Amino acid sequence: MRSEWTALPEAATTEIAERVGGIVAVYPAPTGNHAEIASTVVGSTGRVFVKAASTGLSVQTLRYELAATRAADWFPPAVLWHFECDGWLLVGAELLDGPHPDLSPGSPDLDLLRVTLKALQETPAPPGTWFTPAGRLGFALPEMEGRAFVHSDINPSNLILTAGGLRIVDWAWATKAAAWVELALLTQWLVGSGHAPAQAEEWLGQFPAWASVRPDVLDAFAAMNAAKWAAKSERSTLGWVHDLAAWTGAWAAHRSRTG
């Protein structure tokens, strides 16, 4: 749940102001909900994206994101500074300017996604504590275990088109898993961007990790993921939850017919 910038203790905002040469303006992020505070801060020396958390899971995922951002090289925004103050963890990161990609069928942005995903697929999970597949997804399959560094929430709002290529933000759910898990989780977003499930699978087929997964494993993953989101949608009025229930359900139905 997001909080207002004014929820931060004065000592924290004072230290942020010192780091940016005085705060000129603060603009809350329009999407996302992991960190309690997520805002673009404009100072006299430039702009920085600030995330802050003070409770339970919010602090845990922000610590994961801090560690992942340090470990994952070029993909995430660079961490500029971080500190703790009066029970809050605060992280200032590089602000990535650019639009979100269009992942609809035939979009040239899919080529940029392919390049970024190929590099990420080849990145082993760094040493440290990361989410397990079951801990991240809420269901278990032995085949999900692996050594790849999986972002686990690659969707258009977490992708930024920059002059240097497609970058990935929001690493709060970084997971150590089999590489194919990343691709399976992307399926729902390809469907949501206009791909038929068969089209999404065809596009994903260019990645070796996808081609190596047994059809029955994909069948099981799709069914369990769809069941999870269907259950969530019964308890929620949020539009994005119902969207994910529809998209995962469409893929599961496709797998049940053709898997």
Side-chain angles (χ1 to χ4, degrees):
M1 183 69 68
R2 283 284 161 80
S3 300
E4 297 293 330
W5 180 261
T6 52
L8 287 174
E10 183 178 355
T13 56
T14 297
E15 183 159 350
I16 293 171
E18 292 174 353
R19 292 172 183 267
V20 300
I23 296 175
V24 176
V26 176
Y27 301 103
T31 60
N33 61 3
H34 300 313
E36 292 159 66
I37 302 288
S39 298
T40 296
V41 176
V42 180
S44 64
T45 58
R47 298 183 299 165
V48 63
F49 193 71
V50 175
K51 285 190 173 184
S54 65
T55 59
L57 183 61
S58 293
V59 173
Q60 179 189 0
T61 56
L62 187 53
R63 289 195 191 282
Y64 277 13
E65 184 163 13
L66 178 60
T69 300
R70 289 169 162 174
D73 194 29
W74 178 83
F75 306 106
V79 173
L80 305 177
W81 43 260
H82 65 94
F83 64 91
E84 297 190 36
C85 178
D86 291 347
W88 285 79
L89 171 63
L90 300 103
V91 178
E94 171 192 13
L95 180 66
L96 297 178
D97 280 323
H100 301 301
D102 172 11
L103 301 186
S104 62
S107 168
D109 293 346
L110 288 170
D111 290 333
L112 299 175
L113 178 59
R114 174 183 54 79
V115 171
T116 296
L117 267 180
K118 183 177 184 297
L120 183 57
Q121 287 272 289
E122 296 170 353
T123 302
T129 301
W130 309 105
F131 281 105
T132 64
R136 168 66 178 105
L137 300 177
F139 58 86
L141 281 171
E143 293 83 0
M144 293 195 300
E145 299 295 332
R147 304 177 67 179
F149 201 38
V150 173
H151 178 280
S152 85
D153 194 18
I154 290 181
N155 67 72
S157 67
N158 283 337
L159 297 169
I160 306 292
L161 290 166
T162 72
L166 191 64
R167 304 281 294 277
I168 308 172
V169 302
D170 199 352
W171 289 75
W173 300 107
T175 302
K176 183 179 180 181
W180 69 266
V181 173
E182 189 87 89
L183 306 175
L185 290 170
L186 179 59
T187 307
Q188 60 209 30
W189 297 103
L190 293 176
V191 171
S193 296
H195 294 255
Q199 282 180 300
E201 290 188 344
E202 181 180 5
W203 190 83
L204 292 166
Q206 66 189 298
F207 297 97
W210 182 268
S212 69
V213 186
R214 299 195 319 269
D216 64 296
V217 174
L218 289 176
D219 295 345
F221 182 97
M224 288 189 284
N225 200 35
K228 178 184 76 173
W229 284 106
K232 286 179 178 288
S233 70
E234 292 175 357
R235 305 188 300 269
S236 176
T237 60
L238 294 172
W240 64 269
V241 173
H242 288 264
D243 285 342
L244 282 168
W247 301 337
T248 56
W251 183 39
H254 169 74
R255 293 298 313 176
S256 70
R257 294 191 299 267
T258 63

